[in-house]
């Protein structure tokens, strides 16, 4: 799992360069890369990021998987209580 900012910095690229390659703006890339409350890019941009990074940054890398796992565990526990 690799975040876009990590990939970009490792490759020595700027947000401006990434934005130009993806056909979007630098502020949009900044919003995607934010550590606090980042935005999740749309499917088309995710696909372009995947291609640009040769698959090193995957669509799932934009989601907080541990948070989703906690939510799923809570939902399953609630369902289990109702079934009992």
């Amino acid at each position: 799992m690799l975040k876009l900012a990590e990939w970009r910095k490792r490759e020595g690229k700027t947000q401006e360069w990434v934005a130009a390659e993806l056909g979007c703006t630098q502020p949009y890339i900044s919003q995607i890369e934010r550590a606090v409350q980042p935005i999740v890019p749309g499917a088309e941009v995710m696909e372009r990021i995947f291609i640009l990074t040769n698959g090193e940054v995957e669509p799932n890398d934009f989601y907080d998987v541990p948070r989703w796992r906690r939510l799923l565990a809570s939902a399953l526990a609630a369902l289990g209580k109702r079934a009992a």
Side-chain angles (χ1 to χ4, degrees):
M1 184 164 114
L2 193 63
K3 299 288 185 186
L4 181 59
E6 294 168 349
W7 177 87
R8 179 181 59 75
K9 291 172 185 174
R10 187 191 73 201
E11 297 296 316
K13 306 297 184 187
T14 64
Q15 288 183 343
E16 291 82 3
W17 183 88
V18 172
E21 291 295 309
L22 297 178
C24 57
T25 65
Q26 179 276 325
Y28 184 67
I29 297 301
S30 178
Q31 290 176 327
I32 292 171
E33 290 186 354
R34 278 193 305 221
V36 177
Q37 296 182 330
I39 64 166
V40 176
E44 185 177 314
V45 174
M46 278 191 210
E47 181 179 2
R48 290 187 295 208
I49 290 170
F50 183 79
I51 292 167
L52 178 67
T53 64
N54 292 316
E56 292 186 62
V57 179
E58 298 180 1
N60 285 341
D61 296 337
F62 293 101
Y63 296 96
D64 181 3
V65 174
R67 179 176 154 253
W68 285 106
R69 286 189 181 138
R70 287 190 306 271
L71 292 171
L72 177 60
S74 295
L76 291 173
L79 287 172
K81 288 179 184 175
R82 279 191 247 167

